[in-house]
Amino acid sequence: MTPEAAQGTRRLRVGCFLGTDGDYGGAGRILWNVLRHADRIGIEPVAVLSRRGPGVAELEARGIPWTVWPKEDQGVAAAAFRAVRIRGLVREHDLDLVHCLSGAFGWRAWELRALRRAGCPVLVHTQRPIPAASPYLRHTDAVAACSAYLAGELRCDAPVHAVHDLVDAERMQAGRSLRAELGIPPETRVVAFVGRPRTAKGIGLFLEVAASGLLPDTRFLLSVQRGNRLPDTWDEETLRARIAAAPQVELLGHVARIEDVYATADALLLPFLGEEPCPAVLEEAAVAGVPVVTSRGGSVREYVEEGLSGLYVASPSVQNLAEALARVLEGRPAADRRGGIAAWGRERFLERPIRTLRAIYRALGGGADRTAEAC
């Protein structure tokens, strides 16, 4: 029984502005996983898509009402019109509060001003730093940052809460091994890299470790995920040229069922070189029960329980990374190790965020004393 049912109160109706038309991973997955766990959080969600798209099928299968709010950056002349429309949307769907991803309204975000003036509480969720002058910090009632590290970097008058992203545990623990498909024998050790092909993500070091020969009888899988192209992103020609020097590496490209990569790997190697604000791959790996070898930059230390879910390497050289991987791969039997990691990951990246979000929603929406009136 949910807390709301036990207390005899109605659930808060939360408008989740996704800023996208489907779950494509990355930051956009944050609110999709909120929708998937709405019953456990104790809310009645209304999904607001940027346009009709692939996500509609899942929403309708789950019985979640949805509507469309285009992400636009129109000028001041359009601000009044959009302000009237957003208030109408709130009334139409009887919303108690709005939970939006940073960027969901475009960079001007006229809607945030209108919601505040109408007295509708707003929670902004972010996976990355936001400039202090941004409307997403100036016109919100609270901010959910995906790590304590990121929360400490934000400069905002509104309360800032550290809320690790919810992970879809059922999905991450339901992967199927790709070993047979890839021709990898059961006894061969498998190390994977999951992420965007960027220098800051440590893809170069991953390939150097694979080519070093320090881990014989080991296959390396490279799952390159799609995303915005940043200056340090490798193009396909560079990527394939580097892989040619490491025949132990299998380029998988973008894998939609990323849980299958986790089910195949004995360990992940993610030697981040920058200050990572929110490495979601570490959350997914933990819930899937896969140990990781990584660095400590930014928020990474919040995502790995050293000695249980993985190891940190203070100076990520090829030698140090290979030695850490050898220790992880020679640990306890795989099933035993994965079960312990998954239990820790589920509590850290599912149960705890559910409790935190429930408390934030109640504080913003009025909790048990909230009446049935919309904003």
Side-chain angles (χ1 to χ4, degrees), residues 202-222:
I203 188 171
L205 273 172
F206 174 86
L207 292 173
E208 289 178 31
V209 171
S212 69
L214 294 172
L215 292 167
D217 302 320
T218 303
R219 290 279 293 277
F220 293 81
L221 304 182
L222 186 56

Side-chain angles (χ1 to χ4, degrees), residues 158-235:
V160 179
H161 306 273
V163 186
H164 288 127
D165 298 345
L166 279 75
V167 175
D168 189 344
E170 290 186 9
R171 175 187 172 185
M172 292 304 146
Q173 293 171 0
R176 61 177 183 84
S177 176
L178 301 174
R179 285 175 177 263
E181 181 180 324
L182 298 173
I184 302 175
E187 66 275 10
T188 298
R189 302 177 301 184
V190 175
V191 176
F193 174 97
V194 175
R196 297 177 183 176
R198 295 179 51 209
T199 299
K201 300 294 185 182
I203 188 171
L205 273 172
F206 174 86
L207 292 173
E208 289 178 31
V209 171
S212 69
L214 294 172
L215 292 167
D217 302 320
T218 303
R219 290 279 293 277
F220 293 81
L221 304 182
L222 186 56
S223 177
V224 176
Q225 302 300 295
R226 301 186 186 120
N228 296 332
R229 186 173 182 82
L230 297 174
D232 68 337
T233 301
W234 291 18
D235 57 33

Side-chain angles (χ1 to χ4, degrees), residues 167 283 286-288 308 340-351:
V167 175
E283 296 179 316
V287 173
L308 171 64
I341 296 171
W344 175 83
R346 185 182 181 95
E347 167 58 27
R348 189 67 170 265
F349 304 121
L350 178 61
E351 304 299 339

